[in-house]
Amino acid sequence: GDSVTQMEGPVTLSEEAFLTINCTYTATGYPSLFWYVQYPGEGLQLLLKATKADDKGSNKGFEATYRKETTSFHLEKGSVQVSDSAVYFCALNTNTGNQFYFGTGTSLTVIP
Amino acid sequence: EAGVAQSPRYKIIEKRQSVAFWCNPISGHATLYWYQQILGQGPKLLIQFQNNGVVDDSQLPKDRFSAERLKGVDSTLKIQPAKLEDSAVYLCASSPGRDTQYFGPGTRLTVL
């Protein structure tokens, strides 16, 4: 079945470090891919998305490229800030029933 | 535009009691989702509505959980009777159609 596997955390980085959070997926057809962010005590917020192969989603300095050949959608940011501390979820939408599948989440802590 | 509204934000009950959660989606969004998010895990879909019809409730524990979406707008999720393992955050999300979900802040349930 459709699923998402993402890098286990927690991840701790110093401010201005480079961030990569790995995400791979299994899906039939051509899913849309998403990264959601969850700040402490809040619901999930859409961070970025890509709807077809080779698309790059970007927002707030974060980027992810939809790689069909490697079934991946890794999240990257060149220079993290303390305010980026949150849990990040990779997700896919099957597009055949508007159903979403989420990874288990990766907790990021950025220290000054 | 107003986001997805949920209430209450927090609820503490004893096992075997009943509890109900309410969700008001973004106006015009046909699809509504209820997720259960256990601490340290990704959201797990409980039920998906398209207007007032159920699209997917395969992971809803129907012996104790029920949900309805009267008139295709707001929705309620009920647990009766609650068990200790139901302690989680219950997230409501809505979607205008294909891809992108918008999440509410969630209801944190503690079952003692």
Side-chain angles (χ1 to χ4, degrees), chain A residues 25-47:
Chain A
Y25 67 90
T26 301
T28 53
Y30 303 94
S32 296
L33 301 173
F34 305 82
W35 278 100
Y36 282 85
V37 58
Q38 187 173 35
Y39 298 102
E42 299 184 14
L44 277 72
Q45 300 175 26
L46 177 66
L47 181 59

Side-chain angles (χ1 to χ4, degrees), chain A:
Chain A
D2 298 337
S3 65
V4 172
T5 302
Q6 67 179 98
M7 175 176 146
E8 299 253 343
V11 174
T12 302
L13 295 174
S14 297
E15 206 164 23
E16 299 184 4
F18 183 85
L19 169 71
T20 300
I21 301 178
N22 290 338
C23 171
T24 57
Y25 67 90
T26 301
T28 53
Y30 303 94
S32 296
L33 301 173
F34 305 82
W35 278 100
Y36 282 85
V37 58
Q38 187 173 35
Y39 298 102
E42 299 184 14
L44 277 72
Q45 300 175 26
L46 177 66
L47 181 59
L48 54 83
K49 70 176 184 180
T51 57
K52 62 182 187 297
D54 299 326
D55 268 2
K56 178 185 284 188
S58 61
N59 186 24
K60 299 181 181 179
F62 291 89
E63 294 183 338
T65 301
Y66 187 164
R67 302 281 188 203
K68 191 170 186 300
E69 63 276 14
T70 54
T71 62
S72 65
F73 193 55
H74 304 321
L75 182 68
E76 297 182 336
K77 187 174 186 182
S79 175
V80 293
Q81 306 299 313
V82 172
S83 56
D84 294 327
S85 297
V87 180
Y88 292 82
F89 292 92
C90 186
L92 69 82
N93 178 318
T94 61
N95 289 333
T96 57
N98 207 17
Q99 293 171 320
F100 286 79
Y101 297 87
F102 287 83
T104 53
T106 301
S107 174
L108 170 67
T109 301
V110 180
I111 55 177

Side-chain angles (χ1 to χ4, degrees), chain B residues 6-80:
Chain B
Q6 288 189 249
S7 68
R9 290 295 310 276
Y10 305 92
K11 189 74 177 178
I12 300 174
I13 62 172
E14 298 197 347
K15 59 183 180 183
R16 291 188 289 275
Q17 285 187 321
S18 302
V19 64
F21 312 128
W22 175 82
C23 172
N24 191 23
I26 293 172
S27 178
H29 283 194
T31 311
L32 185 149
Y33 309 79
W34 282 104
Y35 289 90
Q36 180 192 60
Q37 186 180 19
I38 292 173
L39 187 65
Q41 299 182 17
K44 182 185 90 171
L45 180 69
L46 292 175
I47 189 167
Q48 177 183 345
F49 292 95
Q50 180 75 17
N51 297 308
N52 60 350
V54 175
V55 173
D56 183 358
D57 64 357
S58 57
Q59 297 194 84
L60 187 74
K62 297 181 187 63
D63 57 334
R64 298 184 301 106
F65 286 64
S66 64
E68 59 183 9
R69 190 184 184 196
L70 299 176
K71 301 181 183 178
V73 182
D74 57 349
S75 175
T76 56
L77 175 70
K78 296 179 182 177
I79 307 176
Q80 180 179 7

